[in-house]
Amino acid sequence: MDKKQDLLQGTLDVLILKIVALGPIHGYGIAQRINQISKEVLQVQQGSLYPALHRLENREWLTAEWRDVNGREAKFYTLTRAGRKQLQTETQNWERLSDAVSLILRAAE
Amino acid sequence: MRWIKALLGRRRAERELDKELQFHIEELVAEKIARGVDPAEARRSAILELGGPAQIKEDCRDVRLLHWLEVWLADVRYGFRGLRSSPAFTLTAVLSIALGIGANATIFTLLHAALWKPLPVSEPKQLFHMQRLSSDGWTGEGGYSWVLYNQMLEAGRPYGEVFAKAGTAMRKFSVDGSQQDRAVGESVSANFFNALQVGPFLGRTFEPQDDSVLGGRPVAVLSHAFWQRRFGSDPGVLGKTVLYEERPFTIVGVARPGFQGVDAESAVDIWTTITATAPKEWLTGPHWNWMTLFIRLRTGVAPQEAHTALDARLRRHVTEELLPGAGAYYTRILQAQKFTLRPAAAGLATTGRRYQKPLLVLMGVVGLVLLISCANVANLVLARNLSRQQELGVRLALGAGRGRIVSQLMTESLLVAITGAALGMVLATWGSRLLLGLLPASRIPWAFDLRPDTTIAALGSSAAILTALLFGAGPALRACRAAADRITTGSSRVTQRGIAGKLLVSGQLALSLVLAAGAGLFLATLYKLATTDLGFRPERAWTADLSYPRGTSDDRKAQTMREIVNRLQARDPQALASHTFPNVYDHGGWSTGIGIDGREPAKGEDNEVCSFGVGARFFETMGIPLVAGRDFTKRDEGDGPAVVVVNETLARRFFGSTPPLGHRVMQPQPKKQFLAREIVGVVRDVHHQGLREPVCATIYIPAAGGTLLLRSGLSQSDVTEQIRQELKQADASAVLEQVRPMRAAVEGMITQERMIAILAAAFGGLAALLAAVGLYGVMAYNMARRTSEIGIRMALGARPGDIRTLVLRESLVLIGAGLLAGLPIALAATQLTRKMLFGLSPGDPTVFGAAVLLLVVVGVMAASLPAWRASRIAPAIALRNE
């Protein structure tokens, strides 16, 4: 199996929310951050990053504004109040799920 | 709404996405180059890594589409949930809208069917109706002679095809001679079908050879519907010979399905050529003007060009062939005539044009009703949104966008409007049929196509959206603002809502006054028309039309009439029988020029009078009072001396204050001779031409035949049976066509007024009811809001009566403000109805006073329930409420 794992379906959203929660950031930056933080284990399919960003923006979890980066315009995303709430919920969900999964895995040993 | 915005903002979103992806690639390339990769290779691998911008853009597009669908569905679900949870609100709102839109769609459906719906032929816009109008418009529409038609056909050749139709009526029809039937027959020029571009379904339509001045070919074309109905879609019908008006005609074809002639109101069953149906003398001289002409213009021909050429040809015809030898009266008519090309994409629209004005007025009326229902629903929505302010405030606080909340509230309004509109359209299909029932029965059954089509559907859906905006937008924005205020200040500005509601109610009352005043004017008109003295007694009087086999001599018809009159009077000594030609309450008699006392009418002198040919005891039978002299007797009908009876108007005009009895009237005879008739009687004026027309100077001359008149107290079926039996004895070959009460003819003259009065009263009542509900709602709400205030007042010693006065006073202010605002609107709006009124002017003070009084009474009644309830508030409970 490849060392680099594909992202579990649906987890991309919560990762994006988490990264954006750390401060305004553009799409390329998010891709880089996910790679860095996950010590390059997780590779974001860059193609799926932008639809996900648009989905989150539509749901009003993210807002975006255009800022200048070295003379070029880049779209920077920030978390909304609703997005922050969503991140909390998602994180809790995720923790519950992973707890449950490891519990099952351990019990099965 | 948000999803609409998403849809509209698509292009900008695309552009921004391009820019964003471009930035990503540039960054990636820069990073790879920094790592020492070759620039070209870096760009290639960057694009590869990203996965192809086109694919990403496509995915993002999907996300956006899915998003607005999701949002919209969520709004719809939310809306449905909200509406289900308050059924009383939903029901009231939907019903209000349904009534408003239903009333509009009803009137519109009829207007559309009667006036606007294009004929089912190709390029109907090329069709024009060639009108010969006298200066007073519709009433004086002249026809064309066969000679003139052929001249116009030639003159019109460079511009298009002129075609003619005539005499649409119920005709005798029989397949094998045994069973007499009636069918709607119409005679047309041989180029009728070709010019309309209506092809045959079976066989052929008419061809040029079918027309011939020497008699034409006795061939007939059936309508598709008649062929299905009468012949069971039998293809063997071609070549069959049928009896039409008792003459054999060969069926040569069946017209294309859907085509029923050029007048939307009647469905023609059978077409024959004019030359085969009209009497020969009608085809040769210029004086039989009975046909209606149309022209189909060639593509690219301006109507103006055709008009100039045809108008010139008509004038030449008038100067060369009609004016020489025309009397003063006819000359005046001919010279005043105007020729116009009326666009006739919708066909002849006879009834449609006659009812255009009243239907347009009714369209205005129902438009107001819709506005009032919208105001009512807006009031309901205001109150409803207020009760949800808590919920909305919480959602705003949680970060929901204002746009989002307005969008949800609007979606809910739209749901109400769409449901209401759908229900309204159902009501309209039923209502338009009901409305048709209010029109006078025509000789040919009405055949308006009232089925809803795309135009009606478009009207319904735009009405839904419009009403939703009207009643939903204001309250939604207000609710949002109020909810936001609640977050910041902790309390809502309730007073503002109170003002909005009061404004709406006052507006409703203002509009209601317009409708109530209009309805009052129409009702008063109807009353005046119905109670005006007609000059005769229509009660218990019956008219009976007889028909005879083809070729029956006039002597024989006169004999039959004498015989049946005698028999009917012998059978019932109480009954009175006579006859008249023409019928006394249809057209108003022949017009004829007379001279007085041996002096023949001078050229250019206005001596036109109306003339009726009547039988013995005519005035007694009709209940027309004699002012002087005597009634006609049997001897006058026979070979007695030539006599005449005149009406008061004639006596006044020709004799002034001299008693006319014994003087002589010179009546024109064929071959320019005059017959001197001695005046033996003067009778009261009779409104033969209808109540709105001035009474015509009239001579009554003894004559044979015509319509049978009977005055008898029996029921319609008994009268019919009696006449049928006696007719069989008198002349077995004659047929009794129909027996009608005279009252029906009189009422037929005021059907239009009755239709408007009934509808205006119904809609006015509906408007008043809606306004009353609105007023009740606002007052009830205000009282509920002020429960504690009233409690304190009562605790401080106010009696229940004081509280009632307080509430009623506030209501009266609302009512008064509304009516004051409505008064100038109503005065201006009713000016439009001036021509439709009879015996009173648009600003009639009695009618306006009654309308104002009615609305005040209705308003006070609506306010008295909340007033009574407020006066029963127990102070202690009220204070504890707070």
Side-chain angles (χ1 to χ4, degrees), chain A residues 26-28 31-32 46-47 49-51 53-55 58-60 66 69 72-75 77 81, chain B residues 2 16-17 19-21 23-24 26-28 31 49-50 56 59-60 63-64 67 70 397 401 404:
Chain A
H26 50 65
Y28 177 73
Q32 300 298 95
Q46 311 210 14
L49 176 66
Y50 285 95
L53 280 170
H54 282 247
R55 190 163 52 235
N58 277 333
R59 292 198 177 142
E60 297 180 2
W66 290 87
V69 181
R72 269 176 305 143
E73 286 225 296
K75 195 175 177 186
Y77 293 89
R81 191 155 27 163
Chain B
R2 188 167 185 81
E16 291 196 347
L17 184 58
K19 227 160 88 180
E20 194 176 10
L21 291 178
F23 176 82
H24 190 115
E26 304 281 317
E27 288 291 303
L28 209 54
E31 187 206 299
E49 219 168 289
L50 192 60
I56 295 175
D59 289 348
C60 288
V63 165
R64 276 202 307 274
H67 170 71
E70 254 170 28
R404 200 71 202 86

Side-chain angles (χ1 to χ4, degrees), chain B residues 97-177:
Chain B
I97 296 302
L99 283 175
I101 290 186
N104 277 274
T106 298
I107 305 290
F108 185 84
T109 301
L110 200 60
L111 257 175
H112 181 57
L115 214 52
W116 298 327
K117 200 177 245 182
L119 290 175
V121 302
S122 61
E123 300 296 330
K125 282 205 168 65
Q126 295 174 343
L127 296 174
F128 288 83
H129 173 199
M130 293 163 57
Q131 284 181 299
R132 276 177 87 174
L133 290 173
S134 58
S135 45
D136 58 345
W138 158 255
T139 48
E141 195 163 314
Y144 295 78
S145 65
W146 179 253
V147 174
L148 178 54
Y149 160 62
N150 280 292
Q151 292 166 350
M152 297 298 261
L153 178 65
E154 284 313 313
R157 280 241 191 272
Y159 312 101
E161 183 87 9
V162 177
F163 59 100
K165 70 144 221 162
T168 316
M170 294 304 272
R171 305 281 182 189
K172 292 180 184 170
F173 177 85
S174 141
V175 176
D176 49 14

Side-chain angles (χ1 to χ4, degrees), chain B residues 106 135 216 220 406 492 708 726 754 871:
Chain B
T106 298
S135 45
V406 171
S492 51
L708 177 65
E726 297 304 327
R754 193 173 42 242
S871 71

